[in-house]
Amino acid sequence: MSRPIAPLGRLRGAPGPTRRARSRRQRTGRGERWYRGAVPGWSSEFDAWAADSLARGDIGELSAYATRAPGMPYAHPTPDHFLPIFITLGSADTPEQPARTTIDGFMIGFAKRSFALG
């Protein structure tokens, strides 16, 4: 039962690496600034860190996100939106293989990066 599922096809990881819905109101009143395209530093810094770690296949760095990643704890005040990345990585033949970004950018201040393995 512990066989990788990668032979079934390409693995894709999503949604994007940042989540902080409450911060729109806490930081910007009603969020008007974010809807005009402003991306908070904690979001762009965390996304850049995650993209670099994925591109290098550095699972050790990714697993230490709570203490090493820039933008914490704003990017992920709880682990439930970041930990699914490890399900995707663990499903690959070689979890340490570099990931390829398939979607990037930001929407209302949140990263929408998705990646593919294999």
Side-chain angles (χ1 to χ4, degrees):
M1 281 312 239
S2 63
R3 293 182 3 209
I5 63 167
L8 298 175
R10 270 206 179 110
L11 295 172
R12 297 188 188 278
T18 57
R19 289 282 182 266
R20 179 79 175 165
R22 290 184 195 160
S23 64
R24 285 187 302 212
R25 291 186 186 272
Q26 292 172 350
R27 289 180 166 276
T28 63
R30 292 185 179 172
E32 300 90 359
R33 191 179 72 186
W34 288 26
Y35 285 99
R36 289 189 214 132
V39 176
W42 57 260
S43 184
S44 61
E45 291 168 9
F46 187 94
D47 179 60
W49 171 86
D52 178 64
S53 297
L54 285 164
R56 291 183 289 113
D58 193 342
I59 293 177
E61 181 72 6
L62 290 166
S63 65
Y65 78 98
T67 57
R68 292 188 188 167
M72 289 300 292
Y74 294 105
H76 285 282
T78 61
D80 54 328
H81 287 283
F82 190 70
L83 294 181
I85 198 170
F86 296 106
I87 295 169
T88 302
L89 293 171
S91 299
D93 279 333
T94 310
E96 299 84 12
Q97 69 181 307
R100 180 176 48 85
T101 293
T102 57
I103 298 171
D104 65 357
F106 296 85
M107 180 180 289
I108 62 169
F110 299 122
K112 57 181 186 172
R113 181 173 307 280
S114 292
F115 63 94
L117 299 169

Coordinates of all heavy atoms in Angstrom, one line a residue, residues 3 11 15-16 19 28 33 36 39 42 45 47-48 54 63 67-68 76 94 98 102-103 105 108 111:
R3 N 3.1 2.1 -2.2 CA 3.7 2.4 -3.5 C 3.3 3.8 -3.9 O 2.2 4.3 -3.7 CB 3.1 1.4 -4.5 CG 3.6 0.0 -4.2 CD 3.1 -1.0 -5.3 NE 2.3 -0.3 -6.3 CZ 1.4 -0.9 -7.0 NH1 1.0 -2.1 -6.8 NH2 0.7 -0.2 -8.0
L11 N 1.8 14.6 -11.4 CA 1.3 15.0 -10.2 C 1.3 16.6 -10.2 O 2.2 17.2 -10.5 CB 2.1 14.5 -9.0 CG 2.1 13.0 -8.8 CD1 3.1 12.6 -7.8 CD2 0.7 12.5 -8.5
P15 N -3.8 24.3 -3.9 CA -3.7 25.6 -4.4 C -2.4 26.3 -4.0 O -1.5 25.7 -3.4 CB -4.9 26.3 -3.7 CG -5.0 25.5 -2.4 CD -4.6 24.1 -2.7
G16 N -2.4 27.6 -4.2 CA -1.2 28.4 -4.0 C -0.7 28.3 -2.5 O -1.4 28.0 -1.6
R19 N -2.1 31.6 2.4 CA -3.5 31.7 2.9 C -3.6 32.6 4.1 O -2.9 32.3 5.1 CB -4.1 30.3 3.2 CG -4.3 29.4 2.1 CD -5.6 29.8 1.4 NE -5.8 28.9 0.3 CZ -5.5 29.2 -1.0 NH1 -4.8 30.2 -1.3 NH2 -5.8 28.3 -1.9
T28 N -6.0 46.2 5.8 CA -6.4 47.2 4.8 C -7.8 47.7 5.0 O -8.4 48.3 4.0 CB -6.2 46.6 3.4 OG1 -7.1 45.5 3.2 CG2 -4.8 46.2 3.1
R33 N -7.2 48.0 -1.2 CA -5.9 48.1 -1.8 C -5.5 46.8 -2.5 O -4.9 46.7 -3.5 CB -4.9 48.4 -0.7 CG -3.5 48.8 -1.3 CD -2.5 49.1 -0.2 NE -2.2 47.9 0.5 CZ -1.5 47.8 1.6 NH1 -1.0 48.9 2.1 NH2 -1.2 46.6 2.1
R36 N -6.8 46.1 -6.0 CA -6.1 46.9 -7.0 C -4.7 46.3 -7.4 O -4.0 46.9 -8.1 CB -6.0 48.3 -6.6 CG -7.3 49.0 -6.5 CD -7.1 50.5 -6.3 NE -8.2 51.0 -5.5 CZ -8.1 51.7 -4.5 NH1 -7.0 52.1 -4.0 NH2 -9.2 52.1 -3.8
V39 N 0.3 43.4 -3.5 CA 0.7 42.1 -2.8 C 1.5 42.4 -1.6 O 2.5 43.0 -1.7 CB 1.5 41.2 -3.8 CG1 1.9 39.9 -3.1 CG2 0.7 40.9 -5.1
W42 N 4.8 39.8 3.0 CA 4.8 38.4 3.5 C 4.3 37.4 2.5 O 4.8 36.2 2.5 CB 4.0 38.3 4.8 CG 2.6 38.7 4.8 CD1 2.0 39.9 5.2 CD2 1.5 37.9 4.3 NE1 0.7 39.9 4.9 CE2 0.3 38.7 4.4 CE3 1.3 36.6 3.8 CZ2 -1.0 38.3 4.0 CZ3 0.1 36.2 3.4 CH2 -1.0 37.0 3.5
E45 N 7.1 37.1 -0.4 CA 8.4 36.5 0.2 C 8.2 35.0 0.4 O 9.0 34.2 0.1 CB 8.8 37.2 1.4 CG 9.3 38.6 1.2 CD 9.4 39.4 2.4 OE1 9.3 38.9 3.5 OE2 9.7 40.7 2.3
D47 N 6.0 33.0 -1.1 CA 5.8 32.4 -2.4 C 7.2 32.2 -3.0 O 7.5 31.1 -3.6 CB 4.9 33.2 -3.3 CG 4.8 32.6 -4.6 OD1 4.3 31.4 -4.7 OD2 5.1 33.2 -5.6
A48 N 8.1 33.2 -3.0 CA 9.4 33.1 -3.6 C 10.2 32.0 -2.9 O 10.9 31.2 -3.5 CB 10.1 34.4 -3.5
L54 N 10.8 24.3 -3.8 CA 10.3 23.3 -4.7 C 11.2 23.0 -5.9 O 11.4 21.9 -6.3 CB 8.9 23.7 -5.2 CG 7.8 23.6 -4.1 CD1 6.5 24.3 -4.6 CD2 7.4 22.1 -3.9
S63 N 9.7 21.4 4.9 CA 9.1 20.8 6.2 C 9.4 21.7 7.4 O 8.7 21.6 8.4 CB 9.6 19.4 6.4 OG 11.0 19.4 6.7
T67 N 9.4 27.7 10.8 CA 10.5 28.4 11.5 C 11.4 29.1 10.5 O 12.1 30.0 10.8 CB 11.3 27.5 12.4 OG1 11.8 26.4 11.7 CG2 10.4 27.0 13.6
R68 N 11.5 28.6 9.2 CA 12.4 29.1 8.3 C 11.9 30.0 7.2 O 12.6 30.8 6.6 CB 13.1 28.0 7.6 CG 14.0 27.2 8.5 CD 14.8 26.2 7.7 NE 15.6 25.3 8.5 CZ 16.1 24.2 8.1 NH1 16.1 23.9 6.8 NH2 16.8 23.4 8.9
H76 N 0.8 31.5 6.8 CA 0.1 30.3 7.2 C -0.1 30.3 8.7 O 0.7 29.7 9.4 CB 0.8 29.0 6.8 CG 0.7 28.8 5.3 ND1 -0.5 28.2 4.8 CD2 1.5 29.0 4.3 CE1 -0.3 28.1 3.5 NE2 0.9 28.6 3.2
T94 N 9.9 10.0 -6.8 CA 11.1 10.6 -6.1 C 10.6 12.0 -5.6 O 10.6 13.0 -6.3 CB 12.2 10.8 -7.1 OG1 12.4 9.6 -7.9 CG2 13.5 11.3 -6.4
P98 N 13.1 18.0 -8.5 CA 12.6 19.4 -8.7 C 11.2 19.5 -9.2 O 10.8 18.8 -10.1 CB 13.7 20.0 -9.6 CG 14.9 19.1 -9.5 CD 14.3 17.7 -9.2
T102 N 3.7 25.5 -12.8 CA 2.7 25.5 -13.9 C 1.8 26.7 -13.9 O 1.3 27.1 -14.9 CB 1.8 24.2 -13.9 OG1 1.2 24.1 -12.6 CG2 2.7 23.0 -14.1
I103 N 1.6 27.3 -12.7 CA 0.8 28.5 -12.5 C 1.5 29.3 -11.5 O 1.9 28.8 -10.4 CB -0.7 28.2 -12.1 CG1 -1.4 27.3 -13.2 CG2 -1.4 29.5 -11.8 CD1 -2.7 26.8 -12.7
G105 N 1.7 33.7 -9.9 CA 1.1 35.0 -9.8 C 0.3 35.1 -8.5 O 0.4 34.3 -7.6
I108 N -5.8 38.8 -5.3 CA -6.1 39.5 -4.0 C -5.1 39.4 -2.9 O -5.4 39.2 -1.8 CB -7.6 39.2 -3.5 CG1 -7.7 37.7 -3.2 CG2 -8.6 39.6 -4.5 CD1 -9.0 37.4 -2.4
A111 N -0.7 34.1 -3.2 CA 0.0 33.4 -4.2 C -0.9 32.3 -4.7 O -1.7 31.7 -4.0 CB 1.3 32.8 -3.7

